[in-house]
Amino acid sequence: MTVQQPLDAIVVGAGFGGIGSAIQLKKLGYHNLAILDREDDLGGVWHVNRYPGLAVDIPSPTYSFWFEPNPNWSRMYAPGAEIKQYAKDVADKYDVRRYMRFNTNVESARWDEDDKVWQVTVADGETLTARFLVTATGFLSQPCTPDIPGIADFAGKIVHTTHWDDSYDFEGTRVGVLGTGATAVQLIPELAKAAADLTVFQRTPIHVVPKQDFAIPAGLQRLFARVPLTQRIFRWFTDMQSALVFLPAVRYRELRLLANSTAYISSLQRFITIRDKELRRKLSPQYDFGCKRPTYSNDYYRTFTKPHVHLRDSGIERIDPDGVITSDGVKTPLDALVLATGFDIWESNFPAIEIIGRGGLNLGKWWRSEGFRAYQGMTVPNFPNYLGVAAGPFANSGLSFFNMIEYQTRHMDRLFGELHRRNATTFEVTEAANNAFSDRMEALQQNTLLHLGNCAGSRSYYFGPNGETVLRPTTTRTVLAEQASFSLSDYAFE
Ligand code: NAP
């Protein structure tokens, strides 16, 4: 692809964060863009994840751009393929696909102080330059492969959920699943349908609450398409439902009872479904609901009551070529091992590429030595003209990923509006503003479930190495207000 350099902006990541950012940049008048992605298609996590049972676990009307409602969701919780199709449709409608370059692994980005541009190096050694750098790499993009002795020597099929192999047939096989996070909760019931024998290796049990899923009737879809206001009203209810899950975690002092009530629903579901007390005990989390990402399923617990499904929670000692040995000395012979072991979030994701700012400052190293701090979850001093979208310290506003992206594009509206008004070349958040914001978030965080609740033993990726979290400890309404009205003096413009 021949592009005129410097580009207006380089966006790293062609998932919803990258698509939303590019749409916003176009709206702001920037049309010389490149969206770089290491995968061979757009969609981010919805392209990479293709495991059986994949579906959204936030109501679909809420899990979409506000400016682009989709009247065609087939279910309240749409399957993964439909969400990927939605990503394609939005990219095409807003004509941002033409900026996308796939199979392009971005290695690093370096601020060039002389020319006031970002130099972005991709894996084949090519360097692109751009005025603005936007990373939209998500925070679930670096798969975690556990370092268990012998894992490399396993002779059967081994697959991480982010690298699903559609050609492998699980029918009639002996399968092991490692992990019991949100992915495993969706996958295990599906694998149990095919496998002759399924063993789940659990380290930490997870709270699972019923999923109020149903097919959205064709008549209702037609109504949403013809009278968009009806879908807005429907979305208001699904937004409220999602907010109700998140709000008690943020307002834990006042809403402790509500926060804990969800845990009772989860334990009631276990009580009704599982008669075996020992199995029920093993599946019962010993930490508060909300310390970990909530999960929803109507068949996860029931799957463990099937005679060919087994739960092992005694820890894995090693993996042999033909099976898994747990610390009680028992060997489980396996044909296939599925790693539902999630992602390296704090180690290799913040940031997902090397970013070198003013004076050679390395963002990843700086965050690791000084703490993960980013103004409004997006901008960092010494990194001019850089925006981290959809993944940053205190970025996640809880309601849905789309709300976060759209609140962040409001930030871009205000920031770039001022940049244009001043006819400036660069913006850079001040140290004082970044520190004041981060101090405030850290103080507010002390009032949330993550700090006041019983989260010890949850092994939650919500927590960073020094106690910081990705979760914004304010209501979504407050985030919205702040992103649209932050003080412009928090930035220096040149
Ligand atoms: P996860 O929540 O991080 O779960 C990983 C699982 O693997 C945990 O049970 C973990 O145990 C286990 N594990 C990791 N390393 C291990 C080791 N060395 N030995 C034994 N067990 C090990 O990852 P995930 O399930 O992929 O979910 C990640 C996130 O993806 C979710 O929180 C959610 O945000 C997102 N997601 C979204 C949807 C959706 O519908 N929107 C669906 C699926 C996932 P410990 O708990 O003990 O660490």
Side-chain angles (χ1 to χ4, degrees):
M1 181 170 75
T2 318
V3 288
Q4 191 195 335
Q5 299 205 51
L7 291 139
D8 290 333
I10 289 175
V11 179
V12 185
F16 282 113
I19 293 170
S21 304
I23 293 171
Q24 177 67 2
L25 285 163
K26 274 184 76 181
K27 222 176 91 188
L28 290 163
Y30 300 110
H31 296 273
N32 186 17
L33 308 175
I35 305 171
L36 311 179
D37 198 295
R38 66 185 177 193
E39 301 299 330
D40 59 3
D41 200 359
L42 56 79
V45 291
W46 297 103
H47 171 62
V48 167
N49 286 284
R50 291 189 324 275
Y51 59 83
L54 174 69
V56 67
D57 58 10
I58 286 171
S60 313
T62 293
Y63 198 80
S64 38
F65 287 116
W66 174 260
F67 63 81
E68 193 53 41
N70 175 16
N72 304 320
W73 294 124
S74 67
R75 303 192 65 80
M76 182 70 161
Y77 295 88
E82 253 180 64
I83 299 163
K84 173 149 184 221
Q85 187 57 46
Y86 174 69
K88 287 180 164 182
D89 293 345
V90 176
D92 287 338
K93 179 167 175 185
Y94 291 85
D95 195 20
V96 294
R97 196 197 275 257
R98 67 196 166 101
Y99 302 125
M100 293 179 182
R101 263 174 71 169
F102 299 114
N103 302 309
T104 305
N105 205 342
V106 177
E107 290 194 331
S108 65
R110 178 179 284 275
W111 174 248
D112 179 337
E113 183 63 20
D114 295 331
D115 292 339
K116 309 274 187 244
V117 290
W118 281 98
Q119 295 189 346
V120 175
T121 306
V122 298
D124 65 4
E126 184 189 4
T127 298
L128 298 169
T129 56
R131 270 188 77 191
F132 304 106
L133 172 69
V134 179
T135 52
T137 44
F139 61 93
L140 302 172
S141 55
Q142 314 292 10
C144 161
T145 303
D147 189 15
I148 299 171
I151 193 165
D153 301 323
F154 182 65
K157 178 73 183 173
I158 186 157
V159 62
H160 192 280
T161 48
T162 53
H163 289 98
W164 201 254
D165 181 353
D166 296 315
S167 66
Y168 185 81
D169 187 1
F170 285 89
E171 198 65 43
T173 57
R174 299 165 302 173
V175 186
V177 175
L178 203 55
T180 50
T183 299
V185 166
Q186 295 187 336
L187 175 70
I188 287 166
E190 294 305 311
L191 275 182
K193 289 177 193 163
D197 197 81
L198 178 71
T199 304
V200 176
F201 298 92
Q202 169 185 275
R203 192 163 65 180
T204 313
I206 190 153
H207 287 284
V208 183
V209 286
K211 192 170 187 176
Q212 287 129 29
D213 193 15
F214 52 85
I216 299 179
L220 196 53
Q221 292 178 34
R222 280 197 297 275
L223 179 68
F224 288 161
R226 278 191 206 135
V227 190
L229 179 65
T230 55
Q231 195 175 17
R232 292 281 187 222
I233 294 167
F234 191 65
R235 178 172 177 158
W236 185 85
F237 284 105
T238 59
D239 278 4
M240 286 303 116
Q241 183 200 333
S242 304
L244 260 181
V245 176
F246 180 65
L247 193 64
V250 173
R251 292 271 177 83
Y252 191 65
R253 280 189 205 283
E254 306 96 303
L255 300 171
R256 188 185 211 113
L257 263 180
L258 192 56
N260 293 338
S261 66
T262 327
Y264 298 132
I265 295 170
S266 174
S267 67
L268 188 64
Q269 180 166 236
R270 278 193 303 279
F271 185 77
I272 293 169
T273 318
I274 302 170
R275 305 316 305 161
D276 177 341
K277 279 189 186 159
E278 180 57 10
L279 178 61
R280 203 158 65 212
R281 184 193 62 76
K282 285 182 176 179
L283 286 167
S284 299
Q286 301 303 313
Y287 55 87
D288 286 348
F289 181 90
C291 297
K292 264 191 155 153
R293 169 71 146 67
T295 64
Y296 305 87
S297 174
N298 299 327
D299 42 16
Y300 178 72
Y301 288 137
R302 193 178 311 127
T303 301
F304 288 96
T305 65
K306 297 185 183 208
H308 71 297
V309 179
H310 323 284
L311 180 70
R312 302 204 65 84
D313 69 344
S314 44
I316 296 174
E317 191 184 286
R318 66 171 197 279
I319 297 179
D320 275 359
D322 58 346
V324 170
I325 320 284
T326 34
S327 57
D328 52 8
V330 174
K331 180 169 189 169
T332 306
L334 295 174
D335 302 309
L337 183 60
V338 176
L339 306 177
T341 43
F343 304 86
D344 274 336
I345 289 173
W346 296 93
E347 277 134 59
S348 50
N349 204 79
F350 283 161
I353 58 166
E354 183 180 68
I355 302 180
I356 311 287
R358 212 193 280 284
L361 193 65
N362 180 311
L363 180 58
K365 287 186 182 159
W366 182 69
W367 267 346
R368 277 160 188 83
S369 73
E370 304 299 317
F372 292 82
R373 299 190 138 204
Y375 178 70
Q376 298 287 346
M378 293 182 80
T379 53
V380 188
N382 293 308
F383 294 83
N385 288 4
Y386 166 63
L387 292 157
V389 167
F394 300 120
N396 195 325
S397 65
L399 191 57
S400 115
F401 192 77
F402 286 87
N403 288 76
M404 173 176 42
I405 300 168
E406 290 187 55
Y407 298 163
Q408 293 185 332
T409 56
R410 287 187 186 220
H411 191 108
M412 287 167 76
D413 258 340
R414 187 163 168 78
L415 180 59
F416 282 85
E418 185 62 7
L419 190 83
H420 293 166
R421 199 183 65 77
R422 294 178 182 229
N423 205 14
T425 308
T426 61
F427 64 78
E428 182 180 341
V429 70
T430 66
E431 297 246 10
N434 187 36
N435 287 336
F437 172 79
S438 305
D439 288 348
R440 184 162 61 87
M441 290 302 116
E442 280 159 20
L444 284 171
Q445 191 176 249
Q446 303 307 317
N447 298 324
T448 66
L449 173 141
L450 295 184
H451 281 261
L452 296 174
N454 167 26
C455 289
S458 65
R459 298 184 70 105
S460 172
Y461 71 72
Y462 282 176
F463 295 94
N466 303 310
E468 54 280 85
T469 87
V470 282
L471 288 189
R472 180 79 153 246
T474 63
T475 62
T476 41
R477 227 166 112 189
T478 308
V479 186
L480 177 59
E482 286 188 10
Q483 296 286 36
S485 65
F486 60 87
S487 169
L488 290 168
S489 62
D490 286 349
Y491 281 93
F493 297 90
E494 271 183 33

